[in-house]
Structures are given as C-alpha cells and as structure tokens.
Amino acid sequence: MNGSLSQSRVRVGPLGWLRTHAPELLFAALLLAVLPMRDLWAPDEPDFAQCVKEMRLRGDWLLPWLNGVPYSEKPILYYWVMKASAVLFDTLTGGLGFTQGVAAWALRLPSVIAAVAFLGAFRRWAARFLEPGVAEPAALILATTPLWFWQSQFIQIDLLFSTLLAWSWFCWLGGYLLLRGPGEETAPGEHRRWFLKAYVWLALAFLAKGPLAPLLSALVLAAFLLWQRDFAALRRASLAPGLGLTLLIVAPWYVAAGLKGGARYAYELIIFQNFERATKAWDHIQPWWRYGEYLLGDFFPWVLLLPALALHLRRERGLGDPAKRFLLLAFLVPFLFLSAVQSKQGKYLLMSYPFLALLLGDLFRQTAPSRTRRLGGLLAGGLAVPAAALAALALGAGGEKIQAQIAPFLGPLRLMALGMVCGTAFVLIQGLRGAAIRLVHGTALTLGLLYLVGGTWGFRLLDAQKSYRRWTAAVQPMIAGRQVFYWQTIRSGVMVYTDHLMPEVRTAEALERLDPEARLVAQRGEWEQNAWGMTPVLRARFEVLLAVPTGGGEILLLRKRSV
C-alpha cells in the first residue's frame, strides 16, 4: 500500500499530462457542456437564486435572505460562493444570461468547480497513498456515478459540502498513514500538515452545512481508531490546535449572523435546522432501509459490483490494511447513521461515494481473466437494462399515451438508446477478452455519452416545461406597481425573475383581509385543496386572472372579487 511517490516527481510531456488528468478533464468538459442547457428547476434552484438576488439587492454578505426575511436553511458558505460567482461573471460578461441579478449558469459554477477540483485532488491522493492502478478507475467510477454527476451541475449545497467533508477525511487519513506508515514523508512533519489541513476543510464543511460535518467526522474517526486500537494516535494528530483552528474559522460568522439575525434566526439555524430536523423530521421521512434503495439508482451501475468487492476484500484480507479500513468505514458509518435519521434523501450520502469508488477501483487492479469476465458480465448486464428500456421506447413501446408524452424527446431518446446498446456490447466484449481497465473505460464512456445527450439536447427540450420564464413574461405586466402575496409556502421560481417579493398568506383570515387591488399567486394544486382554512365559498371570492402551466403543475394569478 504505498503508492509511488517517485512517480509524482517525474516530468511528463503535454500528452502524458493530458492522459494523467483525463478523468477530471473529461468530467469538466461534460459539465461545461451541460451547464447552460437549462434554466432554474424547482424545487431548490429557484430558492438559492432568490437568496443570491436578495443578497445582491441588499448588499449583504453576512446573511442569506429569502422573500424579505433571513433564511436559516443552511450556513453561509454556499451563498458566499454563489454570490461571488454572480457578481464576478455579471461584471465580466456584461450580464450575459442575467435577469434580476442572477443567471443559472453562473450559480452552477461553484458546484462544477468544486466537483472538478475535488476529482483532481482525489485522483492525486489515491496515486500518492494507495496501490498503483487504483486512482484512474476510481476517478472514472466517481465521475460517472449518476448522483455525483447530477449534483455537480445542480444549484444545491450538497456537492460542495460533500467535497469539503470528504477531502477533510482524506487529509486526516493521509496524515495518519504518514504517521503510522507505510507512507513516506517528503519533508519532516508532513503528517502534521495533513492533519491541520483536515481541520481547515472540516471547518469549511461546517460553514456549508452545519454541525453534521463534525458529527460524522467524529463517528468515522472513532470507528476507525477503535478498529485500529490506536486512540493513542490522537496525541499526534494535532487535535487541540486543529479544533482551535476549526473554531477560529467557524465561530466568527455564527456569532455575527446570530447578532444580526436575532434570537429566532439563531435558534432556527442551530437547533431547528439540525437537531429538531434530525429527531422530529417534517419532510423526506423514509423508512430505515431507504438508503439501500437509493444506492441502487444513485450509484448505478457500479453498485452491482458490491458483492464482488466483498469477496475481494475477504479473499485478499484487504481489511488488514488501515487505508482500506478507513475507506470502508467512511462509507458504512454515514450509511448507518443516516439510516437511523428520519429524514432521508439520496444526496445526503454523497460524501461517502468517493471512498466507495476507491474500494471498487481496487477491483480492477491486477485482475485475473476469470474475475474480469465476471465483472464485465455484471457491468454489461447493468448497462443492458437502461439500454433495452430506451431502445423499446424509441421503437414505439409503451402504448399511445406514453408515446405521445415522449414524442418531443424522441430524437435524444434514439441517440441515447444507440449509445447505450453500443456501450453494452463494448463492455461485454472487453470482459470476455479479459481487459479489466477497459471495462471501466467503456462503462464510463457509455454513461458519459448518456449524460451528454440527455444533459444537452434532452435538458434543452425539457426546459420549456420547467422554466419559470414563461410565467414571468406573462405575469410581470399584470403585477407591476401592485402588492403581491403568495398562498402558503413560497415557491421562489414565481418571483425570482420579477421585481417583487411575495409575502406568504397561510390562513383563511389573512385571505379575507386582502385588498382587491392586491394580487395573489398560488399553485393550483394547493389552491384547490380544502385545507389551511380554505373552503369552496372562500375560493369563490377570488377570480383567476392568469394560469400558466409550469414544471408539471399550474401557477395561478388571482385577485379578490369586489363585493
């Protein structure tokens, strides 16, 4: 387990450099191709865009704001990088694609940059600390994992948080391997610098998503040191200065934000959004086993190799290696802990996937022909499932109703089906030939082409249905100079491109008090429910001025009838 330190110091030419960095370069090209192909998509992207818009309007860098009030959903780091990206590129491009101070492509860049930078650092870390031949397949596996690709081009906190937290763990493990061997230090005290870097990145992860970062870190490190029977290592892991450094980075913003936002904001930020959300969840409530189901789709098709990985670790006694122990625990501990929490989403497990990718990458190192054939059969079988489904749809399966729904997308569907069928055949042939690394290359290329076609052509076609721009163009002249309210919890897409805030109206009494000159916005599905005090009689007191289909629903503009 030592990797080859000398290899990292060898000078390489341009072609060698391109080959070495191929995974992150191809991943960056794929993300940049997809980046501008769609507008803000609900539910999360418009919320973040509105927060950036209001921060820019207020000139505020301390608090995120949503609909005129401080937004306590998450700490500040992601809002900082989004606002910085918006300000910088609004100036550099002369407002290219910007409306009301925001542009979807500019707000996506922080996720893209974090994903590509992490992939490069991840590959270099693996080349330094793990066996030769693991880094490249692991990087390709991670880059083409469906959830990792999706979050890398999505306006959401989770990718940034996951890269920061995972890199903190990699830095800590690097320090431990240099401290305990067999890693070789390139300079005296290098292990201490790795440990200190781990605490800095942990602090940034804390500023991205709150106390979950140190909690998961403590659980993973405790499980690892218990397995190693090496709690004595903490004395040389710069724990006290590291925690002091973490506090020095995190505390100033929390104190300043609490003072400016007030007691209610501080309570919601620290207690409500963390401890109460974990113990008394109000959304995304799922049974304990749901992450097993998420894993099947979010890590497809690489998830099919997990039984082979278990056999590989057992036969080769790989878990005697401290690095492999840590990699396994960095996946299992968050999986088990998050399974015990009521609120569950697949993206919550994202920080564990780099560690699982490294374990799987080891499967393709010095693989015997018989094992290669089995791995090839698993990957080809996995790819064959979506290939067959896409081909069937492209050839007219599913009946008239389904064919009518997919008719606008038939072009990209046919191209994706062709790519998947060809990719499946290629992977199967390479497995039969015993070419282990080509299995990874073929599978990654097949998935990359699928994402490229779907994320460019497919997203562009779908965007017309999901974008809020048609709604904005229709409603803007009708609300100019008027007070506008929103029925129930705001969906930020309805206001992000307008020049209005829309205070929320949540009770029948508040509806009764609305002035006939004011305007009310509502989602039809919520407006037509007899809930929150709504009745048919009260609903009849309002008339619909505008109805615009958007994102699978319909947005209404209403006014109160004059008595």
PDB file of all heavy atoms in Angstrom, residues 209-239:
ATOM      1  N   LYS A 209     -22.755  23.351   5.801  1.00  0.00           N
ATOM      2  CA  LYS A 209     -23.990  22.639   6.158  1.00  0.00           C
ATOM      3  C   LYS A 209     -24.186  22.415   7.649  1.00  0.00           C
ATOM      4  O   LYS A 209     -25.103  21.698   8.050  1.00  0.00           O
ATOM      5  CB  LYS A 209     -24.053  21.291   5.420  1.00  0.00           C
ATOM      6  CG  LYS A 209     -25.469  20.756   5.242  1.00  0.00           C
ATOM      7  CD  LYS A 209     -25.491  19.526   4.378  1.00  0.00           C
ATOM      8  CE  LYS A 209     -26.928  19.015   4.220  1.00  0.00           C
ATOM      9  NZ  LYS A 209     -27.010  17.827   3.345  1.00  0.00           N
ATOM     10  N   GLY A 210     -23.324  22.986   8.475  1.00  0.00           N
ATOM     11  CA  GLY A 210     -23.580  22.953   9.891  1.00  0.00           C
ATOM     12  C   GLY A 210     -22.963  21.793  10.641  1.00  0.00           C
ATOM     13  O   GLY A 210     -22.017  21.143  10.173  1.00  0.00           O
ATOM     14  N   PRO A 211     -23.497  21.479  11.830  1.00  0.00           N
ATOM     15  CA  PRO A 211     -22.880  20.519  12.754  1.00  0.00           C
ATOM     16  C   PRO A 211     -22.801  19.092  12.246  1.00  0.00           C
ATOM     17  O   PRO A 211     -22.132  18.262  12.862  1.00  0.00           O
ATOM     18  CB  PRO A 211     -23.794  20.587  13.994  1.00  0.00           C
ATOM     19  CG  PRO A 211     -24.498  21.899  13.890  1.00  0.00           C
ATOM     20  CD  PRO A 211     -24.663  22.152  12.427  1.00  0.00           C
ATOM     21  N   LEU A 212     -23.492  18.761  11.149  1.00  0.00           N
ATOM     22  CA  LEU A 212     -23.397  17.409  10.606  1.00  0.00           C
ATOM     23  C   LEU A 212     -21.942  17.067  10.260  1.00  0.00           C
ATOM     24  O   LEU A 212     -21.529  15.912  10.389  1.00  0.00           O
ATOM     25  CB  LEU A 212     -24.277  17.266   9.369  1.00  0.00           C
ATOM     26  CG  LEU A 212     -24.298  15.883   8.711  1.00  0.00           C
ATOM     27  CD1 LEU A 212     -24.889  14.845   9.665  1.00  0.00           C
ATOM     28  CD2 LEU A 212     -25.088  15.917   7.405  1.00  0.00           C
ATOM     29  N   ALA A 213     -21.166  18.061   9.838  1.00  0.00           N
ATOM     30  CA  ALA A 213     -19.782  17.808   9.435  1.00  0.00           C
ATOM     31  C   ALA A 213     -18.937  17.284  10.599  1.00  0.00           C
ATOM     32  O   ALA A 213     -18.322  16.213  10.480  1.00  0.00           O
ATOM     33  CB  ALA A 213     -19.165  19.079   8.835  1.00  0.00           C
ATOM     34  N   PRO A 214     -18.858  17.979  11.742  1.00  0.00           N
ATOM     35  CA  PRO A 214     -18.057  17.422  12.839  1.00  0.00           C
ATOM     36  C   PRO A 214     -18.658  16.162  13.444  1.00  0.00           C
ATOM     37  O   PRO A 214     -17.924  15.290  13.918  1.00  0.00           O
ATOM     38  CB  PRO A 214     -18.007  18.565  13.862  1.00  0.00           C
ATOM     39  CG  PRO A 214     -19.162  19.441  13.536  1.00  0.00           C
ATOM     40  CD  PRO A 214     -19.338  19.338  12.057  1.00  0.00           C
ATOM     41  N   LEU A 215     -19.984  16.036  13.422  1.00  0.00           N
ATOM     42  CA  LEU A 215     -20.605  14.841  13.991  1.00  0.00           C
ATOM     43  C   LEU A 215     -20.210  13.600  13.202  1.00  0.00           C
ATOM     44  O   LEU A 215     -19.760  12.596  13.772  1.00  0.00           O
ATOM     45  CB  LEU A 215     -22.124  15.008  14.001  1.00  0.00           C
ATOM     46  CG  LEU A 215     -22.931  13.787  14.473  1.00  0.00           C
ATOM     47  CD1 LEU A 215     -22.529  13.398  15.890  1.00  0.00           C
ATOM     48  CD2 LEU A 215     -24.425  14.063  14.393  1.00  0.00           C
ATOM     49  N   LEU A 216     -20.365  13.639  11.874  1.00  0.00           N
ATOM     50  CA  LEU A 216     -19.978  12.494  11.052  1.00  0.00           C
ATOM     51  C   LEU A 216     -18.479  12.229  11.141  1.00  0.00           C
ATOM     52  O   LEU A 216     -18.041  11.079  11.173  1.00  0.00           O
ATOM     53  CB  LEU A 216     -20.389  12.721   9.604  1.00  0.00           C
ATOM     54  CG  LEU A 216     -21.864  12.565   9.264  1.00  0.00           C
ATOM     55  CD1 LEU A 216     -22.113  12.871   7.794  1.00  0.00           C
ATOM     56  CD2 LEU A 216     -22.349  11.145   9.582  1.00  0.00           C
ATOM     57  N   SER A 217     -17.689  13.305  11.187  1.00  0.00           N
ATOM     58  CA  SER A 217     -16.242  13.133  11.286  1.00  0.00           C
ATOM     59  C   SER A 217     -15.869  12.413  12.572  1.00  0.00           C
ATOM     60  O   SER A 217     -15.028  11.494  12.567  1.00  0.00           O
ATOM     61  CB  SER A 217     -15.550  14.498  11.229  1.00  0.00           C
ATOM     62  OG  SER A 217     -15.810  15.145   9.996  1.00  0.00           O
ATOM     63  N   ALA A 218     -16.464  12.813  13.670  1.00  0.00           N
ATOM     64  CA  ALA A 218     -16.168  12.167  14.948  1.00  0.00           C
ATOM     65  C   ALA A 218     -16.549  10.690  14.924  1.00  0.00           C
ATOM     66  O   ALA A 218     -15.811   9.831  15.437  1.00  0.00           O
ATOM     67  CB  ALA A 218     -16.909  12.894  16.071  1.00  0.00           C
ATOM     68  N   LEU A 219     -17.689  10.370  14.322  1.00  0.00           N
ATOM     69  CA  LEU A 219     -18.125   8.974  14.255  1.00  0.00           C
ATOM     70  C   LEU A 219     -17.185   8.136  13.402  1.00  0.00           C
ATOM     71  O   LEU A 219     -16.815   7.012  13.778  1.00  0.00           O
ATOM     72  CB  LEU A 219     -19.553   8.903  13.700  1.00  0.00           C
ATOM     73  CG  LEU A 219     -20.657   9.471  14.592  1.00  0.00           C
ATOM     74  CD1 LEU A 219     -21.983   9.473  13.852  1.00  0.00           C
ATOM     75  CD2 LEU A 219     -20.771   8.679  15.889  1.00  0.00           C
ATOM     76  N   VAL A 220     -16.797   8.661  12.240  1.00  0.00           N
ATOM     77  CA  VAL A 220     -15.905   7.914  11.351  1.00  0.00           C
ATOM     78  C   VAL A 220     -14.544   7.706  12.008  1.00  0.00           C
ATOM     79  O   VAL A 220     -13.997   6.586  12.011  1.00  0.00           O
ATOM     80  CB  VAL A 220     -15.747   8.648  10.002  1.00  0.00           C
ATOM     81  CG1 VAL A 220     -14.630   8.025   9.171  1.00  0.00           C
ATOM     82  CG2 VAL A 220     -17.056   8.607   9.219  1.00  0.00           C
ATOM     83  N   LEU A 221     -13.965   8.763  12.575  1.00  0.00           N
ATOM     84  CA  LEU A 221     -12.641   8.650  13.182  1.00  0.00           C
ATOM     85  C   LEU A 221     -12.670   7.738  14.411  1.00  0.00           C
ATOM     86  O   LEU A 221     -11.740   6.951  14.632  1.00  0.00           O
ATOM     87  CB  LEU A 221     -12.108  10.025  13.559  1.00  0.00           C
ATOM     88  CG  LEU A 221     -11.861  10.994  12.392  1.00  0.00           C
ATOM     89  CD1 LEU A 221     -11.219  12.270  12.898  1.00  0.00           C
ATOM     90  CD2 LEU A 221     -11.006  10.354  11.321  1.00  0.00           C
ATOM     91  N   ALA A 222     -13.724   7.831  15.212  1.00  0.00           N
ATOM     92  CA  ALA A 222     -13.828   6.970  16.386  1.00  0.00           C
ATOM     93  C   ALA A 222     -13.919   5.500  15.976  1.00  0.00           C
ATOM     94  O   ALA A 222     -13.258   4.633  16.570  1.00  0.00           O
ATOM     95  CB  ALA A 222     -15.043   7.365  17.224  1.00  0.00           C
ATOM     96  N   ALA A 223     -14.724   5.202  14.963  1.00  0.00           N
ATOM     97  CA  ALA A 223     -14.845   3.822  14.490  1.00  0.00           C
ATOM     98  C   ALA A 223     -13.510   3.312  13.939  1.00  0.00           C
ATOM     99  O   ALA A 223     -13.112   2.168  14.197  1.00  0.00           O
ATOM    100  CB  ALA A 223     -15.929   3.734  13.419  1.00  0.00           C
ATOM    101  N   PHE A 224     -12.808   4.160  13.222  1.00  0.00           N
ATOM    102  CA  PHE A 224     -11.523   3.762  12.650  1.00  0.00           C
ATOM    103  C   PHE A 224     -10.482   3.502  13.736  1.00  0.00           C
ATOM    104  O   PHE A 224      -9.792   2.468  13.727  1.00  0.00           O
ATOM    105  CB  PHE A 224     -11.028   4.842  11.691  1.00  0.00           C
ATOM    106  CG  PHE A 224      -9.639   4.617  11.178  1.00  0.00           C
ATOM    107  CD1 PHE A 224      -9.374   3.590  10.274  1.00  0.00           C
ATOM    108  CD2 PHE A 224      -8.582   5.416  11.596  1.00  0.00           C
ATOM    109  CE1 PHE A 224      -8.088   3.362   9.802  1.00  0.00           C
ATOM    110  CE2 PHE A 224      -7.301   5.201  11.136  1.00  0.00           C
ATOM    111  CZ  PHE A 224      -7.047   4.167  10.239  1.00  0.00           C
ATOM    112  N   LEU A 225     -10.340   4.421  14.662  1.00  0.00           N
ATOM    113  CA  LEU A 225      -9.337   4.260  15.716  1.00  0.00           C
ATOM    114  C   LEU A 225      -9.670   3.085  16.631  1.00  0.00           C
ATOM    115  O   LEU A 225      -8.769   2.410  17.156  1.00  0.00           O
ATOM    116  CB  LEU A 225      -9.214   5.556  16.515  1.00  0.00           C
ATOM    117  CG  LEU A 225      -8.630   6.738  15.730  1.00  0.00           C
ATOM    118  CD1 LEU A 225      -8.684   8.014  16.563  1.00  0.00           C
ATOM    119  CD2 LEU A 225      -7.197   6.449  15.291  1.00  0.00           C
ATOM    120  N   LEU A 226     -10.970   2.824  16.811  1.00  0.00           N
ATOM    121  CA  LEU A 226     -11.368   1.657  17.596  1.00  0.00           C
ATOM    122  C   LEU A 226     -10.953   0.377  16.885  1.00  0.00           C
ATOM    123  O   LEU A 226     -10.433  -0.561  17.502  1.00  0.00           O
ATOM    124  CB  LEU A 226     -12.878   1.684  17.827  1.00  0.00           C
ATOM    125  CG  LEU A 226     -13.477   0.527  18.635  1.00  0.00           C
ATOM    126  CD1 LEU A 226     -12.905   0.521  20.063  1.00  0.00           C
ATOM    127  CD2 LEU A 226     -14.999   0.618  18.663  1.00  0.00           C
ATOM    128  N   TRP A 227     -11.188   0.322  15.564  1.00  0.00           N
ATOM    129  CA  TRP A 227     -10.795  -0.853  14.784  1.00  0.00           C
ATOM    130  C   TRP A 227      -9.273  -1.019  14.803  1.00  0.00           C
ATOM    131  O   TRP A 227      -8.757  -2.124  14.932  1.00  0.00           O
ATOM    132  CB  TRP A 227     -11.291  -0.694  13.348  1.00  0.00           C
ATOM    133  CG  TRP A 227     -11.291  -1.961  12.545  1.00  0.00           C
ATOM    134  CD1 TRP A 227     -10.744  -3.165  12.882  1.00  0.00           C
ATOM    135  CD2 TRP A 227     -11.889  -2.152  11.259  1.00  0.00           C
ATOM    136  NE1 TRP A 227     -10.950  -4.093  11.885  1.00  0.00           N
ATOM    137  CE2 TRP A 227     -11.647  -3.499  10.883  1.00  0.00           C
ATOM    138  CE3 TRP A 227     -12.599  -1.318  10.400  1.00  0.00           C
ATOM    139  CZ2 TRP A 227     -12.092  -4.013   9.660  1.00  0.00           C
ATOM    140  CZ3 TRP A 227     -13.040  -1.832   9.188  1.00  0.00           C
ATOM    141  CH2 TRP A 227     -12.792  -3.163   8.821  1.00  0.00           C
ATOM    142  N   GLN A 228      -8.567   0.100  14.713  1.00  0.00           N
ATOM    143  CA  GLN A 228      -7.103   0.061  14.730  1.00  0.00           C
ATOM    144  C   GLN A 228      -6.528  -0.146  16.134  1.00  0.00           C
ATOM    145  O   GLN A 228      -5.347  -0.443  16.274  1.00  0.00           O
ATOM    146  CB  GLN A 228      -6.545   1.392  14.189  1.00  0.00           C
ATOM    147  CG  GLN A 228      -6.709   1.596  12.710  1.00  0.00           C
ATOM    148  CD  GLN A 228      -5.792   0.703  11.915  1.00  0.00           C
ATOM    149  OE1 GLN A 228      -6.233  -0.283  11.340  1.00  0.00           O
ATOM    150  NE2 GLN A 228      -4.502   1.028  11.889  1.00  0.00           N
ATOM    151  N   ARG A 229      -7.377   0.038  17.149  1.00  0.00           N
ATOM    152  CA  ARG A 229      -6.913   0.017  18.543  1.00  0.00           C
ATOM    153  C   ARG A 229      -5.766   1.008  18.720  1.00  0.00           C
ATOM    154  O   ARG A 229      -4.716   0.689  19.279  1.00  0.00           O
ATOM    155  CB  ARG A 229      -6.473  -1.391  18.943  1.00  0.00           C
ATOM    156  CG  ARG A 229      -7.579  -2.420  18.863  1.00  0.00           C
ATOM    157  CD  ARG A 229      -7.107  -3.792  19.277  1.00  0.00           C
ATOM    158  NE  ARG A 229      -8.173  -4.779  19.150  1.00  0.00           N
ATOM    159  CZ  ARG A 229      -8.022  -6.085  19.411  1.00  0.00           C
ATOM    160  NH1 ARG A 229      -6.845  -6.546  19.825  1.00  0.00           N
ATOM    161  NH2 ARG A 229      -9.032  -6.912  19.258  1.00  0.00           N
ATOM    162  N   ASP A 230      -6.025   2.214  18.254  1.00  0.00           N
ATOM    163  CA  ASP A 230      -4.939   3.197  18.178  1.00  0.00           C
ATOM    164  C   ASP A 230      -5.420   4.596  18.563  1.00  0.00           C
ATOM    165  O   ASP A 230      -5.122   5.574  17.878  1.00  0.00           O
ATOM    166  CB  ASP A 230      -4.366   3.208  16.750  1.00  0.00           C
ATOM    167  CG  ASP A 230      -3.069   3.990  16.649  1.00  0.00           C
ATOM    168  OD1 ASP A 230      -2.456   4.272  17.696  1.00  0.00           O
ATOM    169  OD2 ASP A 230      -2.672   4.348  15.514  1.00  0.00           O
ATOM    170  N   PHE A 231      -6.152   4.712  19.656  1.00  0.00           N
ATOM    171  CA  PHE A 231      -6.567   6.043  20.093  1.00  0.00           C
ATOM    172  C   PHE A 231      -5.367   6.891  20.515  1.00  0.00           C
ATOM    173  O   PHE A 231      -5.467   8.118  20.603  1.00  0.00           O
ATOM    174  CB  PHE A 231      -7.567   5.938  21.246  1.00  0.00           C
ATOM    175  CG  PHE A 231      -8.961   5.602  20.794  1.00  0.00           C
ATOM    176  CD1 PHE A 231      -9.418   4.297  20.829  1.00  0.00           C
ATOM    177  CD2 PHE A 231      -9.802   6.589  20.295  1.00  0.00           C
ATOM    178  CE1 PHE A 231     -10.696   3.976  20.393  1.00  0.00           C
ATOM    179  CE2 PHE A 231     -11.081   6.283  19.858  1.00  0.00           C
ATOM    180  CZ  PHE A 231     -11.535   4.973  19.909  1.00  0.00           C
ATOM    181  N   ALA A 232      -4.229   6.244  20.724  1.00  0.00           N
ATOM    182  CA  ALA A 232      -3.024   6.997  21.064  1.00  0.00           C
ATOM    183  C   ALA A 232      -2.608   7.920  19.922  1.00  0.00           C
ATOM    184  O   ALA A 232      -1.905   8.915  20.145  1.00  0.00           O
ATOM    185  CB  ALA A 232      -1.883   6.035  21.389  1.00  0.00           C
ATOM    186  N   ALA A 233      -3.045   7.598  18.699  1.00  0.00           N
ATOM    187  CA  ALA A 233      -2.685   8.441  17.554  1.00  0.00           C
ATOM    188  C   ALA A 233      -3.243   9.851  17.691  1.00  0.00           C
ATOM    189  O   ALA A 233      -2.707  10.799  17.099  1.00  0.00           O
ATOM    190  CB  ALA A 233      -3.192   7.812  16.257  1.00  0.00           C
ATOM    191  N   LEU A 234      -4.293  10.026  18.479  1.00  0.00           N
ATOM    192  CA  LEU A 234      -4.883  11.359  18.633  1.00  0.00           C
ATOM    193  C   LEU A 234      -3.901  12.344  19.254  1.00  0.00           C
ATOM    194  O   LEU A 234      -3.983  13.551  19.003  1.00  0.00           O
ATOM    195  CB  LEU A 234      -6.148  11.272  19.496  1.00  0.00           C
ATOM    196  CG  LEU A 234      -7.366  10.609  18.847  1.00  0.00           C
ATOM    197  CD1 LEU A 234      -8.503  10.498  19.851  1.00  0.00           C
ATOM    198  CD2 LEU A 234      -7.811  11.380  17.612  1.00  0.00           C
ATOM    199  N   ARG A 235      -2.956  11.825  20.054  1.00  0.00           N
ATOM    200  CA  ARG A 235      -1.996  12.723  20.691  1.00  0.00           C
ATOM    201  C   ARG A 235      -1.060  13.369  19.670  1.00  0.00           C
ATOM    202  O   ARG A 235      -0.508  14.438  19.934  1.00  0.00           O
ATOM    203  CB  ARG A 235      -1.174  11.953  21.735  1.00  0.00           C
ATOM    204  CG  ARG A 235      -1.964  11.543  22.959  1.00  0.00           C
ATOM    205  CD  ARG A 235      -1.044  11.157  24.106  1.00  0.00           C
ATOM    206  NE  ARG A 235      -0.240   9.982  23.759  1.00  0.00           N
ATOM    207  CZ  ARG A 235      -0.598   8.725  24.016  1.00  0.00           C
ATOM    208  NH1 ARG A 235      -1.753   8.483  24.624  1.00  0.00           N
ATOM    209  NH2 ARG A 235       0.181   7.721  23.691  1.00  0.00           N
ATOM    210  N   ARG A 236      -0.893  12.723  18.519  1.00  0.00           N
ATOM    211  CA  ARG A 236      -0.009  13.262  17.490  1.00  0.00           C
ATOM    212  C   ARG A 236      -0.772  13.740  16.261  1.00  0.00           C
ATOM    213  O   ARG A 236      -0.176  14.013  15.229  1.00  0.00           O
ATOM    214  CB  ARG A 236       1.027  12.208  17.094  1.00  0.00           C
ATOM    215  CG  ARG A 236       1.938  11.794  18.256  1.00  0.00           C
ATOM    216  CD  ARG A 236       2.972  10.800  17.825  1.00  0.00           C
ATOM    217  NE  ARG A 236       3.856  11.363  16.796  1.00  0.00           N
ATOM    218  CZ  ARG A 236       4.759  10.637  16.109  1.00  0.00           C
ATOM    219  NH1 ARG A 236       4.883   9.341  16.357  1.00  0.00           N
ATOM    220  NH2 ARG A 236       5.513  11.214  15.202  1.00  0.00           N
ATOM    221  N   ALA A 237      -2.084  13.798  16.374  1.00  0.00           N
ATOM    222  CA  ALA A 237      -2.920  14.212  15.237  1.00  0.00           C
ATOM    223  C   ALA A 237      -3.294  15.688  15.297  1.00  0.00           C
ATOM    224  O   ALA A 237      -4.235  16.109  14.630  1.00  0.00           O
ATOM    225  CB  ALA A 237      -4.188  13.359  15.185  1.00  0.00           C
ATOM    226  N   SER A 238      -2.573  16.471  16.086  1.00  0.00           N
ATOM    227  CA  SER A 238      -2.813  17.919  16.193  1.00  0.00           C
ATOM    228  C   SER A 238      -4.263  18.220  16.543  1.00  0.00           C
ATOM    229  O   SER A 238      -4.850  19.169  16.009  1.00  0.00           O
ATOM    230  CB  SER A 238      -2.424  18.614  14.887  1.00  0.00           C
ATOM    231  OG  SER A 238      -1.080  18.362  14.544  1.00  0.00           O
ATOM    232  N   LEU A 239      -4.820  17.418  17.442  1.00  0.00           N
ATOM    233  CA  LEU A 239      -6.244  17.545  17.737  1.00  0.00           C
ATOM    234  C   LEU A 239      -6.577  18.893  18.371  1.00  0.00           C
ATOM    235  O   LEU A 239      -7.494  19.589  17.921  1.00  0.00           O
ATOM    236  CB  LEU A 239      -6.689  16.403  18.649  1.00  0.00           C
ATOM    237  CG  LEU A 239      -8.186  16.339  18.959  1.00  0.00           C
ATOM    238  CD1 LEU A 239      -8.978  16.153  17.674  1.00  0.00           C
ATOM    239  CD2 LEU A 239      -8.484  15.206  19.933  1.00  0.00           C
TER     240      LEU A 239
END
